[in-house]
Amino acid sequence: MTQDKFINVREVLQQNSYTTTVDELRNRGKSRVRVINAEQISSLIEEAVNRVVATSSGMGRDDVKKLVERSREEFKRLLAEREKELSEHRERVQQLDQSRENLAKTTAEAERLRIVEMELRRQNEAMSSQLTELRVAAKTGKGLAEVDLAEMERLRKNEAAAQKERESLQAQVAELRRAEAEMRRAETEARKEKEALLQQIKELTREVHELAAGKKAEPAPAAVSPEMVEVLRSLASEVASVKAGLKEVASRPAETAGADKAVTDRMEEITKALTDKMEKIGKKVGVSAGAEDQEVVLDNIFAGQEALESNIQDVEVKERKGTGISGAIERIKSLRNKKGEKKS
Amino acid sequence: MSDRDRRLPGLHAGAADSRTREGESDEGGSIDRMSHAKGGSSPNNGAEAMLGKGLDIGTANIVASVQSEDGEITFRLERNAFLDIQGDVYSKSMLTKLQVPYVVQGDRLVVIGEAAFELANIFARETRRPMKDGLISPSEVDALPMIRLIIEKCLGKPRQQGESVFFCVPAESVDKDNNVVYHRGLFEGMLRKMTYTPHTIVEGHAVVFGELAEKDFTGIGLSFGGGMVNVCVAYKTIPALTFSVARGGDWIDKNVAEVLGIPKSRATMIKERGVNLASPKGREEEAINIYYRNLISYVLQNIKNRFEADIRNMPSFPEPVDIVCAGGTSMVGGFVDVFKDEFAKIKFPIPVSNIRMASEPLNAVAKGCLIAAAISE
């Protein structure tokens, strides 16, 4: 039962005592010593403790045994608990070791990646350096890396601007088409008026020709619009005047050539009068023959120019021979002749 | 092939072999001694040289045309540009030795013509241009003496007092208010001062005269110039539709220069050194290709719109017609291919049988002017 004791008295005694010789004792003046067995001391202490516990708590021997038993149970429970904790602790340590191992692996991977990154950075710097060289080369006319980007940007901007311009132009075109349609309507009306007038001219001309040939012609019925009444009245008086002139000419057969000229002159006068009248009507309906371009004379710009000192007269100008143009001229003449034949 | 390569070296007016023809007046020294006048040795049995000259006053180039008594046509060409440089004795001496044409203007030397263009490229500068968008430039007021010298040099003196000169003028522009009246009056005055009798012909019409003889002068003549593109739809010599757009070679150069960040003169040089639009190489040529396509498409669309807007007054062509492209801007490689590409994209209102380049693109307008002069004589 010694192992169940809380205190190993023997061991305690052994630890707190020392071994000596008889001579040493004698030297210290000890001639007689009392000797006690360690087993007995242990037994005495145990007995003493039991007695103290029994007297101090009022418990009997059985109670003490029960107490010891409970204490032992408690001890076992505590021991199991501690063992469990220890086991958990060991498990945690194991997990920690695993984590540490993982951490080591991660650190190694991180280090490896850092090295890779450094390598990539180095390569990137090398590429940047090459790009810079290319840009410099482009600026000096050896390459076009930078120009390409500028060109793309420029084209993109141009495209956007062109789109806006296109839209604006489309709007303008639509507006112009509307205006054009209105103009066409006005033009159609004017053309009808013009055709009516031309018909009148044709009939009057025919009448004049008949008169010139000595024939009697009935005046053509005038299918005219109300606006032209005034004009026709005026024309009628012109025609009457022509008739009178022609009769006069006809009464002088010896002067045929002169008569022809008189007819021609009169025709010209009529034509001029008709043109004037047509222009007048044209203005009323918003159509005009249009003003003739007046000649612009800018000769005076060169009047005050003094001769400049130059060597140009001593310098040759580039010169080359070409194919002839006689074929082209002949063809134009031929076309003109064909047109002339058709007219006649 | 560049413009320079296309041009042949030749004689200048007043060369040593020139001589006064019999019966010609030399009053005031204004009669040109034509280098082609060869007296009785001409193949047409001593027939006199046909009077009348043609003159293409273009934004980029000035071309004069003249026919000799043996029926030979001579074109004289100069670039319509100048460049002013610091005037000192050394520069003047160098320019004289190198036969570079210059004019002294105050304390500066003004280099004119092709040399100005070359110098501008060497020194990365921009040339000054007497004309812009097909008309005399309002911003270059000092340019009149220069352009007059260039015209005098190309045209020479009249072979007879009051000899006719037909010069081209742009047609009414669809996209710009162009003052043709002042332009025309100015050059008429200039030519009268040179004792010529000036007449005008619309540029696109001149192309029809110069290039569509075999089709009885029926078809569509296009002049792709430096400042603008002139259009003429003609039926048997008679123009049914004429107009111009204020875009041309300069418009392409300007835009290419902007996107590439280079001077305009350099863009012109790249364009003229031998680009092929059918197979552009590199970004510069790609940019040129883009703007060429845009220009051609713009011109075709405008023809379509104008024709359809006035369809009742347009001739109905009994047979498909030819489209002929002239002008310095059309001389780039692959132009007709790109033109055909763009043509295929739109529904063109006129039946077309053939799209082709002019036989002499740079001279076609001057040639047409000469034909106009010949038939008027």
Side-chain angles (χ1 to χ4, degrees), chain A residues 110-328:
Chain A
E111 179 64 14
R112 193 186 66 78
L113 289 172
R114 197 179 61 80
I115 292 165
V116 170
E117 187 205 354
M118 277 173 69
E119 177 61 20
L120 286 172
R121 192 176 293 157
R122 194 189 59 74
Q123 287 177 6
N124 190 26
E125 280 167 5
M127 283 173 72
S128 296
S129 171
Q130 283 176 3
L131 187 64
T132 307
E133 282 172 18
L134 281 171
R135 281 180 177 156
V136 171
K139 279 180 182 167
T140 54
K142 291 175 187 169
L144 281 164
E146 193 178 36
V147 172
D148 187 21
L149 295 171
E151 183 190 350
M152 282 175 70
E153 184 60 24
R154 161 87 186 153
L155 290 174
R156 208 173 289 129
K157 282 181 182 170
N158 277 356
E159 193 183 348
Q163 178 62 26
K164 276 186 184 171
E165 193 183 355
R166 205 176 300 130
E167 285 166 8
S168 161
L169 284 173
Q170 278 169 353
Q172 285 178 34
V173 166
E175 185 59 34
L176 283 172
R177 289 214 168 118
R178 275 196 296 278
E180 189 193 349
E182 284 173 18
M183 278 178 69
R184 281 197 195 290
R185 274 197 297 278
E187 191 188 347
T188 309
E189 287 169 15
R191 188 168 287 147
K192 281 178 188 167
E193 298 281 358
K194 186 182 162 189
E195 279 166 7
L197 274 169
L198 284 172
Q199 185 61 31
Q200 294 297 314
I201 292 167
K202 208 180 281 178
E203 285 168 5
L204 284 167
T205 309
R206 184 173 53 79
E207 188 183 355
V208 171
H209 276 300
E210 284 172 2
L211 286 168
K215 292 177 186 171
K216 194 85 177 175
E218 287 297 317
V224 290
S225 58
E227 294 92 341
M228 290 179 200
V229 171
E230 190 185 338
V231 181
L232 288 174
R233 197 173 291 139
S234 167
L235 289 174
S237 88
E238 292 282 354
V239 171
S241 156
V242 171
K243 279 180 184 172
L246 288 172
K247 275 179 187 168
E248 193 184 335
V249 170
S251 66
R252 287 180 287 166
E255 298 170 354
T256 315
D260 287 347
K261 189 177 180 306
V263 170
T264 312
D265 289 348
R266 204 64 196 139
M267 279 290 290
E268 280 175 6
E269 279 176 30
I270 289 173
T271 308
K272 186 176 179 306
L274 285 170
T275 309
D276 290 347
K277 299 292 179 192
M278 280 171 69
E279 185 66 18
K280 201 173 163 186
I281 288 176
K283 281 176 186 168
K284 279 182 189 170
V285 295
V287 177
S288 171
E292 287 290 320
D293 251 1
Q294 285 199 332
E295 193 181 6
V296 177
V297 180
L298 296 170
D299 297 25
N300 286 341
I301 288 180
F302 304 97
Q305 261 184 24
E306 51 193 52
L308 293 165
E309 184 189 342
S310 171
N311 70 338
I312 195 163
Q313 292 309 319
D314 305 322
V315 179
E316 291 180 358
V317 68
K318 307 285 179 190
E319 207 173 85
R320 70 174 298 179
K321 307 296 179 200
T323 53
I325 58 169
S326 55

Side-chain angles (χ1 to χ4, degrees), chain B residues 211-263:
Chain B
E211 291 290 333
L212 285 168
E214 288 177 4
K215 299 288 178 182
D216 278 349
F217 305 96
T218 298
I220 301 170
L222 303 176
S223 173
F224 286 84
M228 57 195 342
V229 178
N230 271 270
V231 178
C232 178
V233 180
Y235 181 71
K236 292 191 186 296
T237 74
I238 298 161
L241 172 67
T242 58
F243 69 90
S244 64
V245 296
R247 289 183 187 181
D250 287 346
W251 179 82
I252 293 172
D253 297 346
K254 177 177 159 282
N255 283 287
V256 169
E258 273 180 19
V259 295
L260 296 181
I262 56 175

Side-chain angles (χ1 to χ4, degrees), chain B residues 28-238:
Chain B
S30 63
I31 307 302
D32 188 26
R33 295 160 177 84
M34 271 302 293
S35 57
H36 297 297
K38 292 170 187 163
S41 64
S42 70
N44 54 352
N45 299 323
E48 284 190 7
M50 187 198 74
L51 288 173
K53 294 181 180 178
L55 180 64
D56 173 7
I57 306 172
T59 310
N61 293 295
I62 288 175
V63 189
S65 54
V66 62
Q67 186 180 27
S68 66
E69 64 191 43
D70 56 5
E72 192 175 54
I73 309 293
T74 304
F75 297 102
R76 290 178 186 147
L77 182 145
E78 188 57 275
R79 198 177 279 268
N80 195 0
F82 64 98
L83 183 76
D84 50 347
I85 58 173
Q86 190 63 43
D88 54 51
V89 179
Y90 175 75
S91 302
K92 197 169 158 185
S93 165
M94 279 303 292
L95 293 177
T96 307
K97 276 183 190 166
L98 293 169
Q99 286 215 312
V100 172
Y102 66 82
V103 175
V104 179
Q105 203 175 47
D107 60 347
R108 301 191 71 77
L109 290 172
V110 181
V111 178
I112 54 181
E114 182 67 26
F117 180 72
E118 285 167 3
L119 275 177
N121 274 319
I122 292 167
F123 295 117
R125 286 182 57 192
E126 297 287 359
T127 52
R128 291 173 64 186
R129 309 280 295 277
M131 284 172 61
K132 187 171 181 262
D133 298 338
L135 298 169
I136 196 80
S137 172
S139 61
E140 286 288 1
V141 286
D142 298 335
L144 279 185
M146 316 305 159
I147 197 167
R148 183 179 169 182
L149 279 170
I150 295 172
I151 288 175
E152 279 178 348
K153 187 68 188 170
C154 290
L155 202 57
K157 289 175 180 171
R159 292 168 287 186
Q160 188 174 295
Q161 284 280 6
E163 182 179 8
S164 287
V165 172
F166 271 70
F167 71 97
C168 67
V169 289
E172 185 191 352
S173 172
V174 294
D175 50 7
K176 189 168 182 174
D177 188 14
N178 51 350
N179 188 353
V180 181
V181 175
Y182 174 74
H183 177 86
R184 187 179 61 210
L186 187 88
F187 285 109
E188 281 174 344
M190 186 185 284
L191 291 166
R192 268 197 288 269
K193 185 79 179 167
M194 292 162 64
T195 68
Y196 280 103
T197 302
H199 303 276
T200 57
I201 178 170
V202 177
E203 191 169 325
H205 198 197
V207 175
V208 171
F209 271 142
E211 291 290 333
L212 285 168
E214 288 177 4
K215 299 288 178 182
D216 278 349
F217 305 96
T218 298
I220 301 170
L222 303 176
S223 173
F224 286 84
M228 57 195 342
V229 178
N230 271 270
V231 178
C232 178
V233 180
Y235 181 71
K236 292 191 186 296
T237 74
I238 298 161

